[in-house]
Amino acid sequence: MVRAKVCGVTSESDLRAVERAGADAVGVISEVTVDTPREVSLSRAATLFDAAPPFLTTTLVSMPASVTRAVELAAAASPDVLQLHGDFDADEFQRIGAQTDARVVAVVDSESPARARAVAHVVDGVLVDSVSDDGGGGTGETHDWTATAEVVETLDAPVTLAGGLTPENVAEAVRTVRPYAVDVASGVEAEGGVKDHDAVRAFVRNAKAAADGIRPEVPS
Ligand SMILES: O=C(O)c1ccccc1N[C@@H]1O[C@H](COP(=O)(O)O)[C@@H](O)[C@H]1O
């Protein structure tokens, strides 16, 4: 079994589409230091989380500059999960986790798997992404899945795979990496910041079918 997270939701209608597709988690992006059409204000993130139905895990995706700001963000938007891009070390993650009710997920650059091992013991999960030079995600780029498969195998923590996933490649990604969850942002969009509801449905279906050993369907 694999969990599916759909990230970069900016509207209530996309939120409903994510839920109807059977996704396990939804991500809303706020306070990031990169230019992205998927960013919303913190108050908008809080509104979207309030509109989320029960049993859909809400995730705030952010790039705060300090421990204090990370804690403030979680308090302001009340997500279930705080997904943190940036350079926090284990001590900083521990301090964030101690001051928030949200679960904390550390984003790790696929090219720095050692960082996953350095922080995994103080966070609730690790997300391995194809990180851009400025530290952001949403690159639409895949990375070396066999290296991430090794992280999954050797780390005693839930590892989420992200970066360039689409309805077309997610089945192969799941079979190769065997992650705890898969995460997609740009790969299921009709345009920047707007989800393609058919693609969202196909992404979730294909991820879960692959984990169950069922052949994927590719949307026309
Ligand atoms: O999606 C963004 O624009 C973004 C900006 C800054 C930080 C994180 C961002 N998104 C995260 O990137 C990954 C994968 O994105 P993609 O599928 O390759 O487009 C995902 O974890 C999003 O949470």
Side-chain angles (χ1 to χ4, degrees), residues 5 7 29 34 36 38 83 85 129 137-140 162-164 183 185-186:
K5 167 170 166 260
C7 201
I29 299 169
V34 295
T36 168
R38 291 176 282 282
Q83 176 181 319
H85 293 244
D129 194 2
T139 61
D183 184 19
S186 58

Side-chain angles (χ1 to χ4, degrees), residues 5-8 27 29 32-39 59 61-63 83 85 107 127-130 135-142 160-166 183-189:
K5 167 170 166 260
V6 179
C7 201
I29 299 169
V32 291
T33 55
V34 295
D35 193 20
T36 168
R38 291 176 282 282
E39 182 172 14
T59 307
V61 177
S62 194
M63 302 171 73
Q83 176 181 319
H85 293 244
V107 177
L127 183 147
V128 182
D129 194 2
S130 319
T139 61
E141 303 280 338
T142 57
T160 297
L161 172 68
L165 298 179
T166 65
D183 184 19
V184 62
S186 58
V188 290
E189 287 188 324

Side-chain angles (χ1 to χ4, degrees), residues 15-138:
L15 177 68
R16 278 192 297 277
V18 168
E19 186 258 323
R20 277 199 307 267
D24 302 275
V26 62
V28 177
I29 299 169
S30 188
E31 293 212 9
V32 291
T33 55
V34 295
D35 193 20
T36 168
R38 291 176 282 282
E39 182 172 14
V40 300
S41 70
L42 193 56
S43 63
R44 179 85 184 117
T47 301
L48 287 166
F49 293 151
D50 277 346
F55 310 128
L56 179 66
T57 302
T58 56
T59 307
L60 182 68
V61 177
S62 194
M63 302 171 73
S66 66
V67 168
T68 303
R69 190 60 192 151
V71 173
E72 287 171 358
L73 292 173
S78 299
D80 299 316
V81 175
L82 189 55
Q83 176 181 319
L84 294 175
H85 293 244
D87 293 327
F88 292 118
D89 62 21
D91 176 61
E92 291 167 319
F93 274 124
Q94 197 152 34
R95 284 160 48 212
I96 293 166
Q99 295 176 71
T100 174
D101 292 335
R103 301 288 177 146
V104 177
V105 168
V107 177
V108 171
D109 186 339
S110 60
E111 292 182 5
S112 311
R115 184 160 172 263
R117 292 177 232 292
V119 301
H121 61 294
V122 291
V123 292
D124 298 292
V126 167
L127 183 147
V128 182
D129 194 2
S130 319
V131 176
S132 57
D133 289 344
D134 45 21

